[in-house]
């Protein structure tokens, strides 16, 4: 069984045989180094209401969106324990 992780810059999906919240990789497609988010976190970011997103939300890499959402209290996730 594998889990999917999404590049914060281009959206490429990487499969890995472990389950963590994020992994740090250099993307083979876009060449950017970043925090690939577990697909469940990406789904949660999609659920952030548009009225609570900053103007540049769509331009922000996924990992920056996650930091913003947690900092602003829009998502309540822990970085330990089950996903």
């Amino acid at each position: 069984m594998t889990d999917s992780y999404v590049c914060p810059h281009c959206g490429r999906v990487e499969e890995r045989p472990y389950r963590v919240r994020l992994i740090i990789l250099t993307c083979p497609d876009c060449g950017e180094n970043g925090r690939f988010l577990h697909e469940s976190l990406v789904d949660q970011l999609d659920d952030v209401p548009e009225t609570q997103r900053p103007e540049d939300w769509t331009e922000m890499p996924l990992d920056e969106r996650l930091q913003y959402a947690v900092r602003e209290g829009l998502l309540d996730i822990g970085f330990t324990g089950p996903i």
Side-chain angles (χ1 to χ4, degrees), residues 6-12 14 25-34 36:
V6 182
C7 175
H9 301 283
C10 72
R12 176 190 171 100
E14 288 285 321
L25 295 173
T26 299
C27 182
D29 283 354
C30 70
E32 293 288 333
N33 189 33
F36 280 56

Side-chain angles (χ1 to χ4, degrees), residues 15-68:
E15 299 291 326
R16 292 292 189 269
Y18 42 80
R19 186 180 180 122
V20 294
R21 284 171 175 59
L22 56 88
I23 55 177
I24 298 174
L25 295 173
T26 299
C27 182
D29 283 354
C30 70
E32 293 288 333
N33 189 33
R35 295 168 287 221
F36 280 56
L37 302 181
H38 189 274
E39 65 184 348
S40 66
L41 292 176
V42 176
D43 292 342
Q44 289 180 48
L45 289 173
D46 290 341
D47 293 338
V48 171
E50 287 189 32
T51 58
Q52 295 182 310
R53 298 175 182 179
E55 281 186 32
D56 61 345
W57 180 264
T58 57
E59 289 83 36
M60 294 169 70
L62 290 173
D63 54 348
E64 288 181 21
R65 290 183 201 175
L66 178 64
Q67 288 176 333
Y68 176 87

